[in-house]
Amino acid sequence: MNHLTIRQEEPGDYRATENLVRESFWNVYRPGCLEHFVLHEFRTRPEFCADLDLVLVRDDELIGQVMYVKNSLRTSSQTELPILTMGPICIHPNYQRQGYGKILLDRSLDLAAETDAVGVFMEGNINFYGKSGFVVASTLGVHYMDEPTDDPVPYFLGKILKENAWQKDTEVRYRVPAGYFVDEKQAEEFDRQFPPKERLRLPGQLFG
Ligand SMILES: CC(C)(COP(=O)(O)OP(=O)(O)OC[C@H]1O[C@@H](n2cnc3c(N)ncnc32)[C@H](O)[C@@H]1OP(=O)(O)O)[C@@H](O)C(=O)NCCC(=O)NCCS
């Protein structure tokens, strides 16, 4: 039986976690990836949740990572609802589809429920996140960026953490936190600190 630990990321993990994120996202959504630079940059931003910056260690090997960012929704009655944006989350390619991602996500959601956030939102695949209670966010009345409300974005997902604090509003707008929009040239420069890897254009990638 393998020993699993989920704990806060520590400074001594930083480079190993970034390398894990790079290995997990490389060539998945674009040639190469930006997610390791996103994590690197977020750690020093005030909206980064250090308490929810988690790693999954299997025996002595770091195999998973998840992070959260403080965000808010503005309702049409001008109330601010505190929420969290989740991601990136990853499991090392050698350990994917063995249940580890769900274990890490569910533990992080339990901890997220202890914060003042009323819900968690992010872009993702409902086939994975749906198993942990996420739904297409438009069904909760939350709409993505400036997209029209009558054309739901199927990959924009949400999970309510506090039903009683949640006022279903006809038009609540979600905005992606600024820290996710990293400069691609700076990301390339940052990537040179890691062992060389080939950027490939592959079918199914969303960008690039
Ligand atoms: C997405 C990711 C975190 C999932 O972690 P995982 O450990 O592989 O997932 P789990 O084994 O816990 O999956 C639980 C269930 O979610 C679903 N699921 C997981 N990954 C999926 C995928 N890529 N596509 C469709 N369904 C998926 C499956 O139903 C799975 O159950 P099953 O294997 O019995 O069919 C991991 O595959 C990963 O790091 N991928 C690359 C980076 C990434 O895409 N991160 C998410 C960005 S939104």
Side-chain angles (χ1 to χ4, degrees):
M1 193 66 187
N2 299 102
H3 186 258
L4 293 185
T5 311
I6 293 174
R7 59 163 174 80
Q8 252 175 271
E9 190 192 26
E10 295 163 4
D13 302 316
Y14 285 177
R15 189 39 57 107
T17 317
E18 288 161 6
N19 202 47
L20 163 73
V21 173
R22 183 176 184 252
E23 291 295 323
S24 306
F25 280 90
W26 195 259
N27 292 334
V28 174
Y29 297 104
R30 64 171 71 233
C33 69
L34 304 174
E35 283 80 0
H36 54 319
F37 186 55
V38 169
L39 168 63
H40 179 83
E41 291 289 283
F42 255 126
R43 288 200 197 95
T44 52
R45 292 181 73 107
E47 64 274 32
F48 184 69
C49 298
D51 294 352
L52 295 173
D53 172 26
L54 304 176
V55 291
L56 171 62
V57 181
R58 180 184 183 269
D59 297 331
D60 290 327
E61 193 182 354
L62 201 155
I63 67 158
Q65 156 285 341
V66 64
M67 60 159 272
Y68 287 75
V69 174
K70 291 184 201 109
N71 194 356
S72 63
L73 298 175
R74 182 176 288 266
T75 70
S76 51
S77 52
Q78 301 301 310
T79 330
E80 292 273 340
L81 290 174
I83 58 153
L84 293 165
T85 293
M86 196 224 60
I89 179 172
C90 71
I91 296 294
H92 189 280
N94 292 348
Y95 297 99
Q96 288 174 8
R97 301 303 286 259
Q98 297 171 45
Y100 293 118
K102 183 163 176 6
I103 292 170
L104 178 59
L105 176 61
D106 288 349
R107 175 71 187 132
S108 71
L109 289 168
D110 287 346
L111 295 173
E114 292 172 14
T115 70
D116 68 349
V118 301
V120 177
F121 293 83
M122 78 284 153
E123 300 102 342
N125 184 334
I126 192 71
N127 294 331
F128 173 59
Y129 295 103
K131 301 232 154 115
S132 295
F134 283 85
V135 295
V136 173
S138 61
T139 65
L140 302 168
V142 184
H143 301 283
Y144 190 69
M145 305 291 272
D146 295 317
E147 296 295 324
T149 49
D150 57 358
D151 190 13
V153 178
Y155 57 83
F156 173 48
L157 310 178
K159 178 180 165 89
I160 302 306
L161 297 175
K162 295 183 180 64
E163 289 291 346
N164 52 359
W166 184 255
Q167 310 127 296
K168 192 163 177 192
D169 200 286
T170 47
E171 179 152 342
V172 184
R173 284 280 160 191
Y174 170 87
R175 306 222 79 85
V176 177
Y180 285 99
F181 299 101
V182 291
D183 182 290
E184 292 190 24
K185 285 271 162 291
Q186 284 179 18
E188 259 178 51
E189 192 61 39
F190 173 72
D191 194 69
R192 292 205 186 98
Q193 299 173 24
F194 295 81
K197 269 177 102 66
E198 197 181 354
R199 290 185 162 76
L200 296 175
R201 215 168 275 281
L202 298 175
Q205 288 172 342
L206 303 173
F207 310 102

